[in-house]
Amino acid sequence: MEDIDAIAVLQDPVRRRLYEYVAAQDHEVSRNQAAEGTGVQRTLAAFHLDKLAAAGLLETESRRLTGRSGPGAGRPAKLYRRAAAEHEFSLPARDYRTAADLLAEVAESARLDVELQEAARRQGRALRGDERPEEGLEAVAGLLARRGYEPRLEEGEGGAVIRMRNCPFHALSERFPPLVCGMNLALLEGLLEGAEGFHVRMDAKPGLCCCTVVEDSKNNGD
C-alpha cells in the first residue's frame, strides 16, 4: 500500500481515535480494550482495527490472555500495537531521508561528532523559543510531547523519570547510532536548558528513545 493510502485511512474519525489509543499504549491492545478505551462498540472497533492493520499502521498477533494452554484455555485474542514502519507523503516528491543518510555518513566518517552536538544544542535552544521548561515536570513533558517524543512519566529510584516512546530520528539512529544518539542527547540538552532539577542522560532501551530525562535526587530533598 502506498503511503498516501495508509495516511488516508486515518481520515475516518473513529479509526483515527482507535489508532491514537493503540499508539499511546506501551503494550499490545485487545479489541475489547480498544473499544472500552475509545467508547466504541466492540464490533465496530474490530472492523476499524483490522482496516488499520491492513493499511500497515498497526501490527497484530494472537495470544491467549489467560496464559494457559490446552482444552478450556479459551480462544487466542487478537492483539494490536503500533506498526514500526514509517509513513510519509509529500507533493511534489521530496527525498530528505537520502540527504540525511548521506550527511550522517560523511559526518561519521569525518568524526564531526563534537561539531554536530554543538549545532544540535544550539538548535535545541532555538526550538524551545519562549517556552519555560523550568516550570516543572509537566512543562518538561509537554515540551517533549510537542517535539514528537511521546513522553511517558515513571517513578525511578531517585525521582521521576521521563522515558520517550518515539525517537524523531529513528531511521537515522538505526544506521548511525553513536552519531545520531549523541546528536539527539545534545538537542534535548538545549531544548530543556533551564529545567532546573532535571538532566538528560543516555539510557537506551528496546522500543524507546535512546535518551531519558531524569529528576535529580537533590530536587527531592535527598
Side-chain angles (χ1 to χ4, degrees):
M1 178 176 284
E2 295 290 337
D3 282 357
I4 188 172
D5 296 325
I7 294 169
V9 168
L10 294 172
Q11 285 188 319
D12 183 281
V14 174
R15 204 170 291 160
R16 186 180 184 90
R17 194 157 80 244
L18 283 161
Y19 173 80
E20 289 173 346
Y21 176 81
V22 174
Q25 310 309 309
D26 59 359
H27 54 80
E28 294 89 351
V29 173
S30 70
R31 289 171 169 175
N32 285 339
Q33 290 170 328
E36 291 174 6
T38 58
V40 176
Q41 195 175 37
R42 185 188 182 281
T43 53
L44 184 62
F47 171 78
H48 285 302
L49 288 168
D50 285 340
K51 285 286 187 182
L52 290 165
L57 296 170
L58 297 180
E59 295 174 354
T60 65
E61 67 172 287
S62 294
R63 190 173 71 240
R64 287 189 174 91
L65 299 180
T66 61
R68 296 181 297 160
S69 59
R75 295 176 59 186
K78 193 170 187 178
L79 304 176
Y80 301 82
R81 63 179 176 274
R82 180 170 60 182
E86 298 178 6
H87 298 276
E88 59 184 24
F89 176 75
S90 66
L91 282 175
R94 296 289 187 260
D95 189 7
Y96 298 114
R97 180 171 294 178
T98 297
D101 283 341
L102 292 171
L103 290 168
E105 184 177 347
V106 171
E108 186 173 73
S109 299
R111 299 183 180 180
L112 297 175
D113 302 64
V114 173
E115 291 84 353
L116 178 60
Q117 289 167 22
E118 289 175 352
R121 207 168 279 109
R122 290 194 300 271
Q123 180 67 9
R125 297 187 192 107
L127 290 172
R128 186 185 71 236
D130 296 329
E131 296 195 62
R132 300 172 61 82
E134 68 269 21
E135 291 178 353
L137 186 65
E138 294 300 325
V140 170
L143 185 55
L144 293 169
R146 286 187 286 278
R147 297 308 310 169
Y149 283 96
E150 297 184 8
R152 183 180 70 197
L153 303 181
E154 297 180 0
E155 279 298 321
E157 293 181 3
V161 174
I162 303 177
R163 300 196 186 278
M164 293 165 276
R165 297 183 60 248
N166 183 53
C167 172
F169 316 108
H170 175 73
L172 276 180
S173 68
E174 291 279 290
R175 289 197 60 194
F176 311 97
L179 180 79
V180 176
C181 289
M183 177 199 74
N184 188 30
L185 178 66
L187 181 76
L188 286 166
E189 287 173 344
L191 188 68
L192 300 180
E193 192 174 272
E196 295 183 6
F198 297 91
H199 67 276
V200 188
R201 73 181 184 195
M202 199 75 74
D203 185 19
K205 292 186 181 298
L208 298 174
C209 177
C210 60
C211 297
T212 301
V213 179
V214 181
E215 188 176 24
D216 295 330
S217 296
K218 63 181 181 181
N219 199 43
N220 287 322
D222 294 341

